[in-house]
């Protein structure tokens, strides 16, 4: 696997292989040492979980991290993304992890000859988030086919929703959406439902952050209580979930908006388990892209 840029590029067999490899790493099995491999993380958008998770994965693999800060780089002088990446390749980096606000930014980089790992592109894809979600689901259920999953929230602006819809449907799951009309995306074929009509039937509730920064919606003007009432996971909805149902969220969480504050660490929540699994999954991705 030379690059990881979107879930569309991965076969079902490759997805299962990455999950198996990540699970082995989680259980301290067959963990390789990538000492002598150099990597740079280029984050042109803010990030806590993805950035720190990649850094932890790189540390555990004993990789050498080349520090890159957009605020102090030649990007501030107008250097293009291509030239920045070409520079890092020329000085000896073995792979690049990139998050960028431009959807499909990676298309200009794929022929460069250095592995590109997409850590999120605009409203496009977030493949490692999707893979860690799949790993979490597989740990819980042991299968994907026939699972009923509802993805709730800002579908239109969510790269997580797009990546997960593609991967989960490919794996045989049944995926539907819940969203305000203005945030629906009908380029994906999943049906849109009322949350109250499906909440007691689904195996997984996958909540999404309201992305104020992508649609110019100021937090001060946003009706948090109204959104929570119509589209959020309230205590009442939580109590209607099946006994073995789970809650997921890519985070950061808007507490009291997508999910009631008291439910973030409730027994059915796997939000922090997703974060834990992200390290091992990204270790698997790094080894698959960097090792020959």
């Amino acid at each position: 696997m030379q690059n990881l840029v979107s879930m569309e590029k991965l076969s079902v067999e490759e997805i299962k292989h990455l999950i198996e490899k990540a699970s082995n790493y989680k259980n301290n099995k067959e963990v390789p040492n990538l000492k002598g491999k150099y990597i740079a993380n280029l984050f042109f958008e803010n990030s806590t979980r993805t950035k720190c998770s990649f850094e932890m994965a790189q540390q555990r693999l004993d990789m050498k991290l080349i520090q890159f800060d957009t605020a102090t780089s030649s990007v501030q002088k107008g250097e293009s993304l291509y030239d920045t990446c070409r520079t890092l390749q020329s000085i000896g980096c073995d792979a690049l992890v990139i998050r960028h606000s431009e959807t499909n930014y990676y298309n200009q980089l794929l022929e460069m000859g250095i592995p590109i790992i997409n850590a999120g592109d605009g409203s496009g894809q977030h493949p490692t988030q999707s893979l860690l979600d799949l790993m979490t689901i597989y740990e819980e259920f042991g299968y994907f086919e026939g699972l009923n999953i509802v993805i709730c929230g800002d579908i239109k602006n969510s790269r997580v929703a797009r990546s997960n819809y593609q991967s989960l449907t490919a794996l045989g799951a049944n995926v539907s959406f819940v969203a305000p009309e203005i945030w629906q995306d009908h380029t994906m074929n999943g049906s849109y439902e009322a949350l109250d009509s499906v909440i007691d039937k689904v195996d997984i509730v996958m909540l999404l952050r309201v992305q104020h920064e992508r649609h110019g919606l100021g937090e001060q003007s946003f009706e948090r209580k109204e959104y929570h009432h119509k589209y959020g996971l309230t205590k009442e909805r939580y109590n209607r979930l099946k006994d073995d149902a789970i809650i997921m969220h890519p985070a950061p969480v808007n507490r009291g908006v997508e999910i009631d504050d008291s439910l973030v660490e409730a027994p059915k929540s796997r939000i922090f388990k997703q974060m834990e699994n992200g390290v091992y999954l990204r270790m698997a991705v790094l080894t698959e892209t960097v090792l020959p």
Side-chain angles (χ1 to χ4, degrees):
M1 185 175 69
Q2 183 178 3
N3 303 294
L4 177 62
V5 294
S6 77
M7 294 305 292
E8 291 176 299
K9 305 291 185 182
L10 288 180
S11 67
V12 168
E13 290 73 22
E14 287 174 317
I15 291 171
K16 291 180 178 179
H17 174 69
L18 286 167
I19 292 172
E20 181 181 5
K21 178 167 282 198
S23 296
N24 284 339
Y25 294 168
K26 188 173 182 178
N27 292 303
N28 292 313
K29 296 179 182 177
E30 304 173 1
V31 181
N33 187 301
L34 300 188
K35 187 175 183 178
K37 297 292 185 179
Y38 292 84
I39 193 160
N41 299 327
L42 288 70
F43 277 71
F44 295 87
E45 289 186 319
N46 294 335
S47 173
T48 299
R49 273 146 294 278
T50 304
K51 185 173 186 292
C52 293
S53 180
F54 265 112
E55 289 176 353
M56 181 63 75
Q58 290 152 5
Q59 293 283 352
R60 291 192 178 191
L61 293 169
D62 205 20
M63 300 184 79
K64 299 292 186 181
L65 181 60
I66 304 301
Q67 297 298 327
F68 179 86
D69 181 0
T70 56
T72 58
S73 74
S74 291
V75 171
Q76 301 303 319
K77 300 177 182 178
E79 183 173 67
S80 68
L81 175 62
Y82 179 90
D83 285 342
T84 297
C85 295
R86 191 72 176 84
T87 297
L88 291 166
Q89 179 192 29
S90 297
I91 66 173
C93 282
D94 295 291
L96 302 175
V97 177
I98 306 174
R99 169 172 287 191
H100 202 281
S101 60
E102 180 184 341
T103 300
N104 298 331
Y105 73 81
Y106 46 78
N107 284 337
Q108 62 185 299
L109 308 175
L110 296 180
E111 301 302 319
M112 192 175 290
I114 183 173
I116 303 297
I117 300 172
N118 181 14
D121 63 296
S123 296
Q125 291 269 340
H126 197 345
T128 59
Q129 178 68 49
S130 181
L131 287 164
L132 71 88
D133 289 347
L134 295 176
M135 178 181 177
T136 305
I137 292 169
Y138 191 76
E139 278 187 342
E140 195 71 29
F141 295 96
Y143 61 93
F144 299 100
E145 191 167 358
L147 288 175
N148 294 311
I149 301 167
V150 63
I151 304 178
C152 310
D154 191 356
I155 307 297
K156 182 178 180 179
N157 297 288
S158 174
R159 50 199 173 205
V160 175
R162 189 164 292 101
S163 294
N164 276 342
Y165 176 77
Q166 291 171 352
S167 57
L168 286 165
T169 53
L171 288 162
N174 305 310
V175 182
S176 59
F177 300 113
V178 170
E181 186 174 355
I182 194 172
W183 294 339
Q184 294 180 10
D185 181 354
H186 295 286
T187 64
M188 295 180 282
N189 293 324
S191 63
Y192 282 83
E193 311 288 349
L195 185 54
D196 286 323
S197 70
V198 298
I199 194 67
D200 55 349
K201 303 178 182 69
V202 296
D203 301 295
I204 301 163
V205 179
M206 192 172 287
L207 304 166
L208 301 173
R209 180 177 66 88
V210 176
Q211 300 191 45
H212 301 282
E213 73 276 13
R214 297 204 189 279
H215 39 62
L217 184 65
E219 289 197 50
Q220 298 303 317
S221 63
F222 179 65
E223 295 293 337
R224 297 168 62 92
K225 289 184 178 179
E226 180 181 354
Y227 181 91
H228 183 63
H229 174 70
K230 290 183 178 180
Y231 305 104
L233 187 65
T234 61
K235 293 179 182 178
E236 187 275 333
R237 290 181 178 124
Y238 178 88
N239 290 333
R240 290 177 57 198
L241 287 169
K242 296 195 298 185
D243 289 343
D244 60 349
I246 64 170
I247 303 161
M248 303 179 72
H249 193 306
V253 177
N254 292 310
R255 291 173 180 257
V257 181
E258 301 102 31
I259 182 171
D260 187 274
D261 181 42
S262 66
L263 301 178
V264 174
E265 297 185 72
K268 291 184 172 69
S269 173
R270 299 297 181 270
I271 296 172
F272 288 95
K273 178 64 70 175
Q274 291 171 260
M275 299 178 200
E276 178 189 359
N277 285 341
V279 174
Y280 302 105
L281 190 284
R282 289 174 174 122
M283 289 172 66
V285 167
L286 287 164
T287 57
E288 285 292 300
T289 51
V290 172
L291 290 178

